[in-house]
Amino acid sequence: MIRILELLIAMAVVVVIFVVVGLCLPSHRHVSFPTETNRPLPVVFDMLSGFKRFKDWSPLRSLDPKTSYNLSGPENGKGAHVDYASDSKLVGTGSWQVTGTEGNEKIVFDVNNDDYGSNKTMTIRLKRVGNQKRSVEITESYDVDYGFNLFGRYSGLYVSRSVGDPMKSGLTSLNNLLATVPKYDYTELPVAPKIVPVPAENLLVAPTDSKRADNDIATAMETQEKWLRQVITKNGLEATGPLRITTIDFGAENYKFEVSLPVKKAGQAPGEALPTLDVKMVGDEAKYVQYRQTKPTSAITTTYAGHMAQLAANREMLKAWAATHGVSVGDHPYETYAKGVPASFTAEGDFTMFWPLKQPGSK
């Protein structure tokens, strides 16, 4: 009997110590880590204020790369939501939701999971730093309340490891991900990029290349356009849109590209099924001109007015937009030259830009 009484007293002492120590432990924990990138601040904010690339940088990634994600709500900003699920006990199930933003400088997430605590939030702050403020410091912070949950307070002793280590790993992944994004600020485009469907077309295409000098490029474009117009006339065709330039290789010294025109048989009514054209070419026509029938696809598009020399930078902006929004682009972007070649080499140029998306199964 005495042994049992001693055991009960010892257990009571342990419980008292557990309670007293637990009550002395903090009821709130805060963990914070920084990293830095040289990508434009608006681009970093766009990537982090939505969940299109969350699986590529999330703190959960290091715990279980096979975690599945389901996005809902708006693409970016308040209300953007992601549910996640994993067979790993380290991850389990849960969700993140953007509950607020401040300019391009702060994003607050509500975190819902099975870990101890309540009012769990992840906050990301962005600050311009470095030479001429061209770099961005990214600080990720985690906050949790345990209240009078003593088990939670004890778990808080290890939060710098249980939550902090995945956070640090996630920031490393984020830095690597941002390094793949072209260092261009696509928010400077006058018209925000968007994804549009592109129908199947019949194209006459004239590949060529030239030195990267305006006069050489313009001459090559006009020469190839003449071949296209010649084939159109001889075959009783009509152009259905403006001249199109597809970039194949924009090198340091040379520019390899294709000049093309969408065409149809003269008199073909709009909306008719796209027929395969019987295009006949003789002599040098067959040397310079090709006939292609494209398949329906989708593309990122925007517009630009000005000299065509700026198109190369704008293409990089489209590529940066795609990388930020989790979209894979194909190899060859193109632009339509609404005012023709001569005007496009002046400030009066008028272009619609397209970058086709990578198709399933393509390399």
Side-chain angles (χ1 to χ4, degrees), residues 41 44-51 57 76-78 80 96-110 121-126 138-141:
L41 188 146
V44 179
F45 179 84
D46 261 11
M47 181 176 285
L48 296 178
S49 63
F51 297 105
W57 69 267
N76 287 82
K78 188 175 181 179
W96 284 36
Q97 179 168 314
V98 179
T99 57
T101 61
E102 292 181 10
N104 282 349
E105 299 175 352
K106 182 180 178 182
I107 311 160
V108 181
F109 303 88
D110 176 69
T121 61
M122 196 72 77
T123 303
I124 294 178
R125 289 179 170 83
L126 306 177
I138 305 168
T139 303
E140 185 176 17
S141 304

PDB file of all heavy atoms in Angstrom, residues 41 44-51 57 76-78 80 96-110 121-126 138-141:
ATOM      1  N   LEU A  41      10.602  42.990 -57.900  1.00  0.00           N
ATOM      2  CA  LEU A  41       9.676  42.821 -56.792  1.00  0.00           C
ATOM      3  C   LEU A  41       8.262  42.452 -57.245  1.00  0.00           C
ATOM      4  O   LEU A  41       7.653  41.547 -56.659  1.00  0.00           O
ATOM      5  CB  LEU A  41       9.661  44.079 -55.924  1.00  0.00           C
ATOM      6  CG  LEU A  41       8.874  43.988 -54.605  1.00  0.00           C
ATOM      7  CD1 LEU A  41       9.542  44.825 -53.523  1.00  0.00           C
ATOM      8  CD2 LEU A  41       7.436  44.442 -54.790  1.00  0.00           C
ATOM      9  N   VAL A  44       8.160  38.766 -58.001  1.00  0.00           N
ATOM     10  CA  VAL A  44       8.231  37.942 -56.787  1.00  0.00           C
ATOM     11  C   VAL A  44       6.878  37.946 -56.081  1.00  0.00           C
ATOM     12  O   VAL A  44       6.373  36.903 -55.646  1.00  0.00           O
ATOM     13  CB  VAL A  44       9.328  38.461 -55.839  1.00  0.00           C
ATOM     14  CG1 VAL A  44       9.375  37.623 -54.565  1.00  0.00           C
ATOM     15  CG2 VAL A  44      10.686  38.449 -56.537  1.00  0.00           C
ATOM     16  N   PHE A  45       6.264  39.120 -55.993  1.00  0.00           N
ATOM     17  CA  PHE A  45       4.960  39.223 -55.330  1.00  0.00           C
ATOM     18  C   PHE A  45       3.911  38.390 -56.054  1.00  0.00           C
ATOM     19  O   PHE A  45       3.120  37.683 -55.410  1.00  0.00           O
ATOM     20  CB  PHE A  45       4.518  40.692 -55.278  1.00  0.00           C
ATOM     21  CG  PHE A  45       3.168  40.886 -54.636  1.00  0.00           C
ATOM     22  CD1 PHE A  45       3.049  40.970 -53.255  1.00  0.00           C
ATOM     23  CD2 PHE A  45       2.018  40.972 -55.412  1.00  0.00           C
ATOM     24  CE1 PHE A  45       1.812  41.140 -52.655  1.00  0.00           C
ATOM     25  CE2 PHE A  45       0.779  41.139 -54.816  1.00  0.00           C
ATOM     26  CZ  PHE A  45       0.672  41.229 -53.438  1.00  0.00           C
ATOM     27  N   ASP A  46       3.888  38.451 -57.373  1.00  0.00           N
ATOM     28  CA  ASP A  46       2.915  37.672 -58.148  1.00  0.00           C
ATOM     29  C   ASP A  46       3.076  36.176 -57.884  1.00  0.00           C
ATOM     30  O   ASP A  46       2.095  35.449 -57.751  1.00  0.00           O
ATOM     31  CB  ASP A  46       3.107  37.947 -59.642  1.00  0.00           C
ATOM     32  CG  ASP A  46       2.108  38.960 -60.164  1.00  0.00           C
ATOM     33  OD1 ASP A  46       1.429  39.596 -59.342  1.00  0.00           O
ATOM     34  OD2 ASP A  46       2.006  39.118 -61.393  1.00  0.00           O
ATOM     35  N   MET A  47       4.315  35.714 -57.844  1.00  0.00           N
ATOM     36  CA  MET A  47       4.552  34.288 -57.627  1.00  0.00           C
ATOM     37  C   MET A  47       4.084  33.846 -56.246  1.00  0.00           C
ATOM     38  O   MET A  47       3.519  32.759 -56.083  1.00  0.00           O
ATOM     39  CB  MET A  47       6.025  33.948 -57.812  1.00  0.00           C
ATOM     40  CG  MET A  47       6.331  32.465 -57.612  1.00  0.00           C
ATOM     41  SD  MET A  47       8.045  32.036 -57.946  1.00  0.00           S
ATOM     42  CE  MET A  47       8.082  32.101 -59.744  1.00  0.00           C
ATOM     43  N   LEU A  48       4.280  34.707 -55.232  1.00  0.00           N
ATOM     44  CA  LEU A  48       4.007  34.309 -53.855  1.00  0.00           C
ATOM     45  C   LEU A  48       2.585  34.607 -53.399  1.00  0.00           C
ATOM     46  O   LEU A  48       2.118  34.029 -52.411  1.00  0.00           O
ATOM     47  CB  LEU A  48       5.003  34.988 -52.917  1.00  0.00           C
ATOM     48  CG  LEU A  48       6.467  34.591 -53.123  1.00  0.00           C
ATOM     49  CD1 LEU A  48       7.363  35.372 -52.175  1.00  0.00           C
ATOM     50  CD2 LEU A  48       6.651  33.099 -52.917  1.00  0.00           C
ATOM     51  N   SER A  49       1.881  35.489 -54.085  1.00  0.00           N
ATOM     52  CA  SER A  49       0.517  35.843 -53.658  1.00  0.00           C
ATOM     53  C   SER A  49      -0.529  34.911 -54.244  1.00  0.00           C
ATOM     54  O   SER A  49      -1.736  35.124 -54.069  1.00  0.00           O
ATOM     55  CB  SER A  49       0.199  37.293 -54.041  1.00  0.00           C
ATOM     56  OG  SER A  49       0.229  37.460 -55.453  1.00  0.00           O
ATOM     57  N   GLY A  50      -0.097  33.880 -54.961  1.00  0.00           N
ATOM     58  CA  GLY A  50      -0.980  32.845 -55.469  1.00  0.00           C
ATOM     59  C   GLY A  50      -0.300  31.494 -55.311  1.00  0.00           C
ATOM     60  O   GLY A  50       0.805  31.395 -54.766  1.00  0.00           O
ATOM     61  N   PHE A  51      -0.951  30.450 -55.788  1.00  0.00           N
ATOM     62  CA  PHE A  51      -0.438  29.103 -55.525  1.00  0.00           C
ATOM     63  C   PHE A  51      -0.101  28.314 -56.789  1.00  0.00           C
ATOM     64  O   PHE A  51       0.077  27.101 -56.723  1.00  0.00           O
ATOM     65  CB  PHE A  51      -1.457  28.328 -54.690  1.00  0.00           C
ATOM     66  CG  PHE A  51      -1.691  28.924 -53.327  1.00  0.00           C
ATOM     67  CD1 PHE A  51      -2.846  29.637 -53.051  1.00  0.00           C
ATOM     68  CD2 PHE A  51      -0.738  28.796 -52.324  1.00  0.00           C
ATOM     69  CE1 PHE A  51      -3.063  30.190 -51.798  1.00  0.00           C
ATOM     70  CE2 PHE A  51      -0.935  29.354 -51.066  1.00  0.00           C
ATOM     71  CZ  PHE A  51      -2.108  30.056 -50.802  1.00  0.00           C
ATOM     72  N   TRP A  57       7.917  25.444 -54.374  1.00  0.00           N
ATOM     73  CA  TRP A  57       8.716  26.104 -53.346  1.00  0.00           C
ATOM     74  C   TRP A  57       8.173  25.899 -51.929  1.00  0.00           C
ATOM     75  O   TRP A  57       8.852  26.246 -50.949  1.00  0.00           O
ATOM     76  CB  TRP A  57       8.814  27.614 -53.595  1.00  0.00           C
ATOM     77  CG  TRP A  57       7.539  28.378 -53.394  1.00  0.00           C
ATOM     78  CD1 TRP A  57       6.603  28.692 -54.330  1.00  0.00           C
ATOM     79  CD2 TRP A  57       7.050  28.921 -52.147  1.00  0.00           C
ATOM     80  NE1 TRP A  57       5.562  29.389 -53.763  1.00  0.00           N
ATOM     81  CE2 TRP A  57       5.810  29.543 -52.421  1.00  0.00           C
ATOM     82  CE3 TRP A  57       7.528  28.934 -50.839  1.00  0.00           C
ATOM     83  CZ2 TRP A  57       5.057  30.174 -51.449  1.00  0.00           C
ATOM     84  CZ3 TRP A  57       6.768  29.559 -49.855  1.00  0.00           C
ATOM     85  CH2 TRP A  57       5.547  30.176 -50.164  1.00  0.00           C
ATOM     86  N   ASN A  76      -4.768  34.995 -57.590  1.00  0.00           N
ATOM     87  CA  ASN A  76      -3.835  35.728 -56.738  1.00  0.00           C
ATOM     88  C   ASN A  76      -4.598  36.576 -55.740  1.00  0.00           C
ATOM     89  O   ASN A  76      -5.755  36.935 -55.956  1.00  0.00           O
ATOM     90  CB  ASN A  76      -2.919  36.642 -57.565  1.00  0.00           C
ATOM     91  CG  ASN A  76      -1.871  35.891 -58.337  1.00  0.00           C
ATOM     92  OD1 ASN A  76      -2.155  35.376 -59.404  1.00  0.00           O
ATOM     93  ND2 ASN A  76      -0.658  35.831 -57.806  1.00  0.00           N
ATOM     94  N   GLY A  77      -3.927  36.914 -54.650  1.00  0.00           N
ATOM     95  CA  GLY A  77      -4.489  37.844 -53.692  1.00  0.00           C
ATOM     96  C   GLY A  77      -5.455  37.207 -52.707  1.00  0.00           C
ATOM     97  O   GLY A  77      -5.569  35.981 -52.609  1.00  0.00           O
ATOM     98  N   LYS A  78      -6.161  38.053 -51.972  1.00  0.00           N
ATOM     99  CA  LYS A  78      -7.054  37.608 -50.907  1.00  0.00           C
ATOM    100  C   LYS A  78      -8.055  36.579 -51.419  1.00  0.00           C
ATOM    101  O   LYS A  78      -8.719  36.796 -52.431  1.00  0.00           O
ATOM    102  CB  LYS A  78      -7.781  38.812 -50.309  1.00  0.00           C
ATOM    103  CG  LYS A  78      -8.593  38.467 -49.070  1.00  0.00           C
ATOM    104  CD  LYS A  78      -9.192  39.717 -48.456  1.00  0.00           C
ATOM    105  CE  LYS A  78      -9.990  39.364 -47.181  1.00  0.00           C
ATOM    106  NZ  LYS A  78     -10.567  40.585 -46.545  1.00  0.00           N
ATOM    107  N   ALA A  80      -7.244  33.486 -52.401  1.00  0.00           N
ATOM    108  CA  ALA A  80      -6.549  32.383 -53.076  1.00  0.00           C
ATOM    109  C   ALA A  80      -6.317  31.271 -52.058  1.00  0.00           C
ATOM    110  O   ALA A  80      -5.895  31.512 -50.933  1.00  0.00           O
ATOM    111  CB  ALA A  80      -5.231  32.870 -53.665  1.00  0.00           C
ATOM    112  N   TRP A  96      -3.618  26.298 -47.055  1.00  0.00           N
ATOM    113  CA  TRP A  96      -3.142  27.673 -46.911  1.00  0.00           C
ATOM    114  C   TRP A  96      -4.150  28.565 -47.633  1.00  0.00           C
ATOM    115  O   TRP A  96      -4.676  28.183 -48.686  1.00  0.00           O
ATOM    116  CB  TRP A  96      -1.768  27.867 -47.555  1.00  0.00           C
ATOM    117  CG  TRP A  96      -0.588  27.330 -46.808  1.00  0.00           C
ATOM    118  CD1 TRP A  96      -0.514  26.196 -46.063  1.00  0.00           C
ATOM    119  CD2 TRP A  96       0.712  27.918 -46.767  1.00  0.00           C
ATOM    120  NE1 TRP A  96       0.744  26.018 -45.557  1.00  0.00           N
ATOM    121  CE2 TRP A  96       1.530  27.062 -45.981  1.00  0.00           C
ATOM    122  CE3 TRP A  96       1.291  29.051 -47.313  1.00  0.00           C
ATOM    123  CZ2 TRP A  96       2.872  27.328 -45.733  1.00  0.00           C
ATOM    124  CZ3 TRP A  96       2.628  29.316 -47.069  1.00  0.00           C
ATOM    125  CH2 TRP A  96       3.409  28.469 -46.282  1.00  0.00           C
ATOM    126  N   GLN A  97      -4.385  29.741 -47.100  1.00  0.00           N
ATOM    127  CA  GLN A  97      -5.243  30.715 -47.788  1.00  0.00           C
ATOM    128  C   GLN A  97      -4.700  32.118 -47.579  1.00  0.00           C
ATOM    129  O   GLN A  97      -4.318  32.486 -46.459  1.00  0.00           O
ATOM    130  CB  GLN A  97      -6.682  30.636 -47.273  1.00  0.00           C
ATOM    131  CG  GLN A  97      -7.603  31.665 -47.947  1.00  0.00           C
ATOM    132  CD  GLN A  97      -9.067  31.410 -47.666  1.00  0.00           C
ATOM    133  OE1 GLN A  97      -9.524  30.277 -47.771  1.00  0.00           O
ATOM    134  NE2 GLN A  97      -9.797  32.444 -47.307  1.00  0.00           N
ATOM    135  N   VAL A  98      -4.669  32.873 -48.664  1.00  0.00           N
ATOM    136  CA  VAL A  98      -4.239  34.275 -48.566  1.00  0.00           C
ATOM    137  C   VAL A  98      -5.358  35.061 -47.896  1.00  0.00           C
ATOM    138  O   VAL A  98      -6.486  35.111 -48.395  1.00  0.00           O
ATOM    139  CB  VAL A  98      -3.934  34.868 -49.953  1.00  0.00           C
ATOM    140  CG1 VAL A  98      -3.521  36.340 -49.818  1.00  0.00           C
ATOM    141  CG2 VAL A  98      -2.833  34.082 -50.655  1.00  0.00           C
ATOM    142  N   THR A  99      -5.045  35.664 -46.758  1.00  0.00           N
ATOM    143  CA  THR A  99      -6.063  36.438 -46.031  1.00  0.00           C
ATOM    144  C   THR A  99      -5.877  37.940 -46.175  1.00  0.00           C
ATOM    145  O   THR A  99      -6.765  38.715 -45.799  1.00  0.00           O
ATOM    146  CB  THR A  99      -6.046  36.073 -44.536  1.00  0.00           C
ATOM    147  OG1 THR A  99      -4.727  36.296 -44.010  1.00  0.00           O
ATOM    148  CG2 THR A  99      -6.437  34.617 -44.339  1.00  0.00           C
ATOM    149  N   GLY A 100      -4.729  38.345 -46.718  1.00  0.00           N
ATOM    150  CA  GLY A 100      -4.530  39.772 -46.913  1.00  0.00           C
ATOM    151  C   GLY A 100      -3.184  40.085 -47.537  1.00  0.00           C
ATOM    152  O   GLY A 100      -2.242  39.292 -47.432  1.00  0.00           O
ATOM    153  N   THR A 101      -3.128  41.213 -48.220  1.00  0.00           N
ATOM    154  CA  THR A 101      -1.881  41.694 -48.813  1.00  0.00           C
ATOM    155  C   THR A 101      -1.775  43.194 -48.575  1.00  0.00           C
ATOM    156  O   THR A 101      -2.797  43.871 -48.377  1.00  0.00           O
ATOM    157  CB  THR A 101      -1.807  41.425 -50.327  1.00  0.00           C
ATOM    158  OG1 THR A 101      -2.886  42.120 -50.984  1.00  0.00           O
ATOM    159  CG2 THR A 101      -1.928  39.936 -50.635  1.00  0.00           C
ATOM    160  N   GLU A 102      -0.553  43.695 -48.592  1.00  0.00           N
ATOM    161  CA  GLU A 102      -0.309  45.138 -48.501  1.00  0.00           C
ATOM    162  C   GLU A 102       0.613  45.532 -49.634  1.00  0.00           C
ATOM    163  O   GLU A 102       1.807  45.205 -49.614  1.00  0.00           O
ATOM    164  CB  GLU A 102       0.311  45.502 -47.147  1.00  0.00           C
ATOM    165  CG  GLU A 102      -0.611  45.311 -45.959  1.00  0.00           C
ATOM    166  CD  GLU A 102       0.036  45.704 -44.637  1.00  0.00           C
ATOM    167  OE1 GLU A 102       1.141  46.307 -44.689  1.00  0.00           O
ATOM    168  OE2 GLU A 102      -0.538  45.409 -43.579  1.00  0.00           O
ATOM    169  N   GLY A 103       0.050  46.213 -50.619  1.00  0.00           N
ATOM    170  CA  GLY A 103       0.825  46.610 -51.784  1.00  0.00           C
ATOM    171  C   GLY A 103       1.511  45.404 -52.393  1.00  0.00           C
ATOM    172  O   GLY A 103       0.924  44.327 -52.540  1.00  0.00           O
ATOM    173  N   ASN A 104       2.766  45.581 -52.746  1.00  0.00           N
ATOM    174  CA  ASN A 104       3.590  44.467 -53.224  1.00  0.00           C
ATOM    175  C   ASN A 104       4.570  44.006 -52.154  1.00  0.00           C
ATOM    176  O   ASN A 104       5.574  43.370 -52.459  1.00  0.00           O
ATOM    177  CB  ASN A 104       4.379  44.883 -54.477  1.00  0.00           C
ATOM    178  CG  ASN A 104       3.524  44.885 -55.719  1.00  0.00           C
ATOM    179  OD1 ASN A 104       2.407  44.389 -55.714  1.00  0.00           O
ATOM    180  ND2 ASN A 104       4.036  45.457 -56.784  1.00  0.00           N
ATOM    181  N   GLU A 105       4.260  44.326 -50.881  1.00  0.00           N
ATOM    182  CA  GLU A 105       5.269  44.163 -49.842  1.00  0.00           C
ATOM    183  C   GLU A 105       4.915  43.157 -48.745  1.00  0.00           C
ATOM    184  O   GLU A 105       5.789  42.767 -47.972  1.00  0.00           O
ATOM    185  CB  GLU A 105       5.568  45.524 -49.193  1.00  0.00           C
ATOM    186  CG  GLU A 105       6.124  46.532 -50.194  1.00  0.00           C
ATOM    187  CD  GLU A 105       6.309  47.908 -49.592  1.00  0.00           C
ATOM    188  OE1 GLU A 105       5.851  48.104 -48.443  1.00  0.00           O
ATOM    189  OE2 GLU A 105       6.925  48.765 -50.243  1.00  0.00           O
ATOM    190  N   LYS A 106       3.678  42.713 -48.682  1.00  0.00           N
ATOM    191  CA  LYS A 106       3.302  41.812 -47.591  1.00  0.00           C
ATOM    192  C   LYS A 106       2.177  40.891 -48.023  1.00  0.00           C
ATOM    193  O   LYS A 106       1.214  41.326 -48.660  1.00  0.00           O
ATOM    194  CB  LYS A 106       2.875  42.632 -46.360  1.00  0.00           C
ATOM    195  CG  LYS A 106       2.516  41.788 -45.145  1.00  0.00           C
ATOM    196  CD  LYS A 106       2.106  42.695 -43.990  1.00  0.00           C
ATOM    197  CE  LYS A 106       1.694  41.901 -42.755  1.00  0.00           C
ATOM    198  NZ  LYS A 106       1.256  42.778 -41.645  1.00  0.00           N
ATOM    199  N   ILE A 107       2.313  39.603 -47.674  1.00  0.00           N
ATOM    200  CA  ILE A 107       1.280  38.606 -47.949  1.00  0.00           C
ATOM    201  C   ILE A 107       1.078  37.805 -46.681  1.00  0.00           C
ATOM    202  O   ILE A 107       2.042  37.307 -46.082  1.00  0.00           O
ATOM    203  CB  ILE A 107       1.698  37.656 -49.094  1.00  0.00           C
ATOM    204  CG1 ILE A 107       2.204  38.443 -50.307  1.00  0.00           C
ATOM    205  CG2 ILE A 107       0.524  36.744 -49.500  1.00  0.00           C
ATOM    206  CD1 ILE A 107       3.055  37.618 -51.255  1.00  0.00           C
ATOM    207  N   VAL A 108      -0.172  37.675 -46.252  1.00  0.00           N
ATOM    208  CA  VAL A 108      -0.486  36.929 -45.039  1.00  0.00           C
ATOM    209  C   VAL A 108      -1.316  35.700 -45.406  1.00  0.00           C
ATOM    210  O   VAL A 108      -2.316  35.804 -46.134  1.00  0.00           O
ATOM    211  CB  VAL A 108      -1.254  37.796 -44.019  1.00  0.00           C
ATOM    212  CG1 VAL A 108      -1.540  36.993 -42.750  1.00  0.00           C
ATOM    213  CG2 VAL A 108      -0.452  39.042 -43.673  1.00  0.00           C
ATOM    214  N   PHE A 109      -0.892  34.544 -44.901  1.00  0.00           N
ATOM    215  CA  PHE A 109      -1.581  33.285 -45.158  1.00  0.00           C
ATOM    216  C   PHE A 109      -2.148  32.723 -43.857  1.00  0.00           C
ATOM    217  O   PHE A 109      -1.455  32.714 -42.824  1.00  0.00           O
ATOM    218  CB  PHE A 109      -0.621  32.241 -45.738  1.00  0.00           C
ATOM    219  CG  PHE A 109       0.081  32.642 -46.997  1.00  0.00           C
ATOM    220  CD1 PHE A 109       1.288  33.330 -46.937  1.00  0.00           C
ATOM    221  CD2 PHE A 109      -0.435  32.319 -48.243  1.00  0.00           C
ATOM    222  CE1 PHE A 109       1.964  33.685 -48.086  1.00  0.00           C
ATOM    223  CE2 PHE A 109       0.231  32.683 -49.394  1.00  0.00           C
ATOM    224  CZ  PHE A 109       1.430  33.362 -49.325  1.00  0.00           C
ATOM    225  N   ASP A 110      -3.373  32.243 -43.922  1.00  0.00           N
ATOM    226  CA  ASP A 110      -3.919  31.447 -42.832  1.00  0.00           C
ATOM    227  C   ASP A 110      -3.503  29.999 -43.068  1.00  0.00           C
ATOM    228  O   ASP A 110      -3.709  29.460 -44.162  1.00  0.00           O
ATOM    229  CB  ASP A 110      -5.447  31.564 -42.807  1.00  0.00           C
ATOM    230  CG  ASP A 110      -6.055  30.663 -41.751  1.00  0.00           C
ATOM    231  OD1 ASP A 110      -5.876  30.940 -40.574  1.00  0.00           O
ATOM    232  OD2 ASP A 110      -6.709  29.662 -42.132  1.00  0.00           O
ATOM    233  N   THR A 121      -0.377  31.446 -38.744  1.00  0.00           N
ATOM    234  CA  THR A 121      -0.220  32.290 -39.925  1.00  0.00           C
ATOM    235  C   THR A 121       1.207  32.221 -40.452  1.00  0.00           C
ATOM    236  O   THR A 121       2.154  32.071 -39.681  1.00  0.00           O
ATOM    237  CB  THR A 121      -0.559  33.768 -39.635  1.00  0.00           C
ATOM    238  OG1 THR A 121       0.317  34.267 -38.637  1.00  0.00           O
ATOM    239  CG2 THR A 121      -2.006  33.921 -39.182  1.00  0.00           C
ATOM    240  N   MET A 122       1.307  32.328 -41.770  1.00  0.00           N
ATOM    241  CA  MET A 122       2.604  32.477 -42.431  1.00  0.00           C
ATOM    242  C   MET A 122       2.576  33.846 -43.103  1.00  0.00           C
ATOM    243  O   MET A 122       1.633  34.153 -43.852  1.00  0.00           O
ATOM    244  CB  MET A 122       2.819  31.370 -43.459  1.00  0.00           C
ATOM    245  CG  MET A 122       4.246  31.202 -43.911  1.00  0.00           C
ATOM    246  SD  MET A 122       5.326  30.475 -42.646  1.00  0.00           S
ATOM    247  CE  MET A 122       4.869  28.737 -42.737  1.00  0.00           C
ATOM    248  N   THR A 123       3.564  34.651 -42.826  1.00  0.00           N
ATOM    249  CA  THR A 123       3.622  35.998 -43.391  1.00  0.00           C
ATOM    250  C   THR A 123       4.896  36.148 -44.207  1.00  0.00           C
ATOM    251  O   THR A 123       5.987  35.785 -43.750  1.00  0.00           O
ATOM    252  CB  THR A 123       3.605  37.062 -42.275  1.00  0.00           C
ATOM    253  OG1 THR A 123       2.435  36.884 -41.474  1.00  0.00           O
ATOM    254  CG2 THR A 123       3.598  38.467 -42.862  1.00  0.00           C
ATOM    255  N   ILE A 124       4.744  36.675 -45.420  1.00  0.00           N
ATOM    256  CA  ILE A 124       5.900  36.934 -46.279  1.00  0.00           C
ATOM    257  C   ILE A 124       5.997  38.443 -46.498  1.00  0.00           C
ATOM    258  O   ILE A 124       5.030  39.075 -46.943  1.00  0.00           O
ATOM    259  CB  ILE A 124       5.781  36.202 -47.623  1.00  0.00           C
ATOM    260  CG1 ILE A 124       5.846  34.687 -47.391  1.00  0.00           C
ATOM    261  CG2 ILE A 124       6.880  36.650 -48.592  1.00  0.00           C
ATOM    262  CD1 ILE A 124       5.699  33.869 -48.655  1.00  0.00           C
ATOM    263  N   ARG A 125       7.153  38.986 -46.176  1.00  0.00           N
ATOM    264  CA  ARG A 125       7.404  40.414 -46.396  1.00  0.00           C
ATOM    265  C   ARG A 125       8.491  40.582 -47.455  1.00  0.00           C
ATOM    266  O   ARG A 125       9.493  39.859 -47.437  1.00  0.00           O
ATOM    267  CB  ARG A 125       7.830  41.097 -45.092  1.00  0.00           C
ATOM    268  CG  ARG A 125       6.689  41.240 -44.091  1.00  0.00           C
ATOM    269  CD  ARG A 125       7.157  41.916 -42.794  1.00  0.00           C
ATOM    270  NE  ARG A 125       6.030  42.263 -41.937  1.00  0.00           N
ATOM    271  CZ  ARG A 125       5.440  41.412 -41.099  1.00  0.00           C
ATOM    272  NH1 ARG A 125       5.900  40.162 -41.012  1.00  0.00           N
ATOM    273  NH2 ARG A 125       4.419  41.797 -40.354  1.00  0.00           N
ATOM    274  N   LEU A 126       8.264  41.522 -48.347  1.00  0.00           N
ATOM    275  CA  LEU A 126       9.197  41.796 -49.434  1.00  0.00           C
ATOM    276  C   LEU A 126       9.737  43.219 -49.280  1.00  0.00           C
ATOM    277  O   LEU A 126       8.975  44.159 -49.038  1.00  0.00           O
ATOM    278  CB  LEU A 126       8.496  41.652 -50.787  1.00  0.00           C
ATOM    279  CG  LEU A 126       7.764  40.319 -51.042  1.00  0.00           C
ATOM    280  CD1 LEU A 126       7.050  40.343 -52.390  1.00  0.00           C
ATOM    281  CD2 LEU A 126       8.734  39.162 -50.981  1.00  0.00           C
ATOM    282  N   ILE A 138      13.330  38.625 -49.084  1.00  0.00           N
ATOM    283  CA  ILE A 138      12.099  37.893 -48.796  1.00  0.00           C
ATOM    284  C   ILE A 138      12.214  37.346 -47.382  1.00  0.00           C
ATOM    285  O   ILE A 138      13.102  36.552 -47.088  1.00  0.00           O
ATOM    286  CB  ILE A 138      11.903  36.731 -49.789  1.00  0.00           C
ATOM    287  CG1 ILE A 138      11.947  37.241 -51.237  1.00  0.00           C
ATOM    288  CG2 ILE A 138      10.593  36.000 -49.514  1.00  0.00           C
ATOM    289  CD1 ILE A 138      12.049  36.125 -52.263  1.00  0.00           C
ATOM    290  N   THR A 139      11.328  37.772 -46.496  1.00  0.00           N
ATOM    291  CA  THR A 139      11.336  37.283 -45.117  1.00  0.00           C
ATOM    292  C   THR A 139      10.050  36.517 -44.862  1.00  0.00           C
ATOM    293  O   THR A 139       8.945  37.070 -44.982  1.00  0.00           O
ATOM    294  CB  THR A 139      11.459  38.439 -44.108  1.00  0.00           C
ATOM    295  OG1 THR A 139      12.641  39.193 -44.396  1.00  0.00           O
ATOM    296  CG2 THR A 139      11.536  37.904 -42.695  1.00  0.00           C
ATOM    297  N   GLU A 140      10.185  35.241 -44.516  1.00  0.00           N
ATOM    298  CA  GLU A 140       9.027  34.389 -44.230  1.00  0.00           C
ATOM    299  C   GLU A 140       8.947  34.162 -42.725  1.00  0.00           C
ATOM    300  O   GLU A 140       9.936  33.776 -42.091  1.00  0.00           O
ATOM    301  CB  GLU A 140       9.148  33.061 -44.966  1.00  0.00           C
ATOM    302  CG  GLU A 140       7.926  32.172 -44.799  1.00  0.00           C
ATOM    303  CD  GLU A 140       8.027  30.890 -45.614  1.00  0.00           C
ATOM    304  OE1 GLU A 140       9.152  30.542 -46.040  1.00  0.00           O
ATOM    305  OE2 GLU A 140       6.992  30.228 -45.805  1.00  0.00           O
ATOM    306  N   SER A 141       7.763  34.402 -42.154  1.00  0.00           N
ATOM    307  CA  SER A 141       7.582  34.283 -40.710  1.00  0.00           C
ATOM    308  C   SER A 141       6.376  33.405 -40.394  1.00  0.00           C
ATOM    309  O   SER A 141       5.342  33.496 -41.062  1.00  0.00           O
ATOM    310  CB  SER A 141       7.377  35.659 -40.074  1.00  0.00           C
ATOM    311  OG  SER A 141       8.456  36.530 -40.375  1.00  0.00           O
TER     312      SER A 141
END
